[in-house]
Amino acid sequence: MMEDHLSTGTSYAREESDWDDNFVEDMDLDENDTTDQEDLTDMEEDKSSLATDLATWASKFHVKNNAVDHLLKVLQQHGHTDLPSTARTLLKTPRHVATIQKSGMEYFHYPLHQKLLEHLEKYPVEELQDHDTIDLSFNVDGLPLFKSSGKVMWPVLCAIHLNPIVDFPTTLTCGNNRPNDLHFLEDFVADLEVLLSNGIQCKGKKHSINVLCIVCDAPAKAFVRGTKLYSGYYGCDKCDQKGEWFNRVTFQDTENIMGL
């Protein structure tokens, strides 16, 4: 009986020892699993920060989207398979934008002060410190979107005349024809008046704003100014005479020139 108990006890002790060893091994595996999970988390964070750093780099240095697309493909081929495939996804370009109807067009307006400040923040401090006044120019023009339809856009673009020159849209309109009226410029004009009056504060320095010019082609110029087109009888913006028809509208009085 004693031998049986001893035998059983020995067997039990061996099983208990084996169980302890297995338990320790299991604990070691759990620790390894935890370490592996931490490593995976660190890798995911590194890759996430890599995507963020790439987006910041592309935005800061104005890298073209096709160049970013190619770089992303190269990085994917070298193990960074979790990175997006296109610059649009990397930069989180919104696919849907809420618009309103204005001047018979779909209309969207970026606050000029906000967009200007976003782009000024990307310039080196030295570049901004060298300029007390920031020169801006604007462009208003229509452009067709497709050859197969009459869809057109009438954007208002702003250019910052620093080094390098950067341009960005402040107003976007889209429709089947040009705007019915000039109401689509109201928000832009109101924003510009505030900037001209108050200037803009960026990186610890206040800058005044100066408008160098507003660039338009001849049809857009006549539309924005509310004047006759250059081919009209009163289409000359250098004089106030009425044109005469000689197979085309001509202005015969070369002495009646204002400001020349």
Side-chain angles (χ1 to χ4, degrees):
M1 292 290 294
M2 182 64 69
E3 292 178 358
D4 291 338
H5 281 296
L6 289 174
S7 175
T8 304
T10 303
S11 175
Y12 176 77
R14 185 179 296 115
E15 290 175 0
E16 184 178 11
S17 176
D18 292 343
W19 182 83
D20 288 341
D21 292 340
N22 291 335
F23 180 76
V24 172
E25 290 177 0
D26 290 341
M27 287 293 292
D28 292 340
L29 287 174
D30 290 342
E31 290 177 358
N32 291 335
D33 289 345
T34 303
T35 304
D36 291 342
Q37 290 294 332
E38 291 175 352
D39 291 342
L40 288 173
T41 302
D42 292 340
M43 290 175 63
E44 289 174 356
E45 290 178 353
D46 290 342
K47 290 180 178 180
S48 176
S49 63
L50 175 60
T52 303
D53 289 345
L54 284 173
T56 303
W57 165 77
S59 178
K60 180 177 181 179
F61 295 100
H62 312 290
V63 183
K64 293 184 180 297
N65 283 359
N66 57 355
V68 177
D69 291 346
H70 183 72
L71 175 61
L72 290 172
K73 289 179 181 178
V74 172
L75 291 173
Q76 287 179 343
Q77 292 171 0
H78 289 271
H80 297 280
T81 55
D82 64 321
L83 289 175
S85 300
T86 64
R88 185 170 60 180
T89 305
L90 178 71
L91 299 174
K92 296 181 173 60
T93 304
R95 295 174 179 268
H96 302 284
V97 178
T99 61
I100 63 173
Q101 288 291 320
K102 185 174 283 193
S103 300
M105 310 276 281
E106 288 186 74
Y107 169 88
F108 183 83
H109 176 70
Y110 298 97
L112 181 57
H113 183 280
Q114 174 186 330
K115 296 301 292 184
L116 179 59
L117 187 59
E118 286 179 8
H119 288 280
L120 289 178
E121 290 284 355
K122 299 174 185 177
Y123 282 95
V125 176
E126 297 77 13
E127 178 67 18
L128 294 176
Q129 293 297 327
D130 290 341
H131 294 82
D132 295 326
T133 300
I134 295 177
D135 293 325
L136 304 178
S137 64
F138 299 94
N139 171 254
V140 184
D141 199 0
L143 57 98
L145 293 179
F146 311 103
K147 293 182 179 180
S148 58
S149 73
K151 282 278 187 182
V152 293
M153 288 192 70
W154 275 74
V156 179
L157 305 178
C158 174
I160 305 172
H161 289 262
L162 295 175
N163 186 23
I165 295 177
V166 174
D167 56 81
F168 60 91
T170 180
T171 297
L172 296 174
T173 62
C174 180
N176 294 320
N177 208 330
R178 77 176 191 179
N180 296 336
D181 48 46
L182 298 178
H183 291 316
F184 76 101
L185 296 176
E186 290 175 342
D187 293 332
F188 158 69
V189 172
D191 288 353
L192 183 57
E193 287 178 343
V194 173
L195 277 176
L196 292 174
S197 299
N198 302 332
I200 190 168
Q201 184 86 18
C202 183
K203 294 186 177 180
K205 183 173 182 177
K206 186 173 183 179
H207 305 269
S208 59
I209 299 297
N210 176 55
V211 177
L212 285 179
C213 59
I214 298 178
V215 181
C216 304
D217 63 7
K221 178 181 177 182
F223 174 61
V224 170
R225 294 176 62 186
T227 60
K228 290 289 186 179
L229 195 59
Y230 61 91
S231 58
Y233 283 104
Y234 290 95
C236 180
D237 57 1
K238 300 294 184 182
C239 65
D240 58 3
Q241 66 176 300
K242 181 180 179 180
E244 298 181 30
W245 182 261
F246 292 95
N247 295 323
R248 69 185 71 180
V249 175
T250 61
F251 301 92
Q252 301 296 312
D253 186 2
T254 58
E255 301 298 327
N256 187 17
I257 305 295
M258 298 186 300
L260 296 179

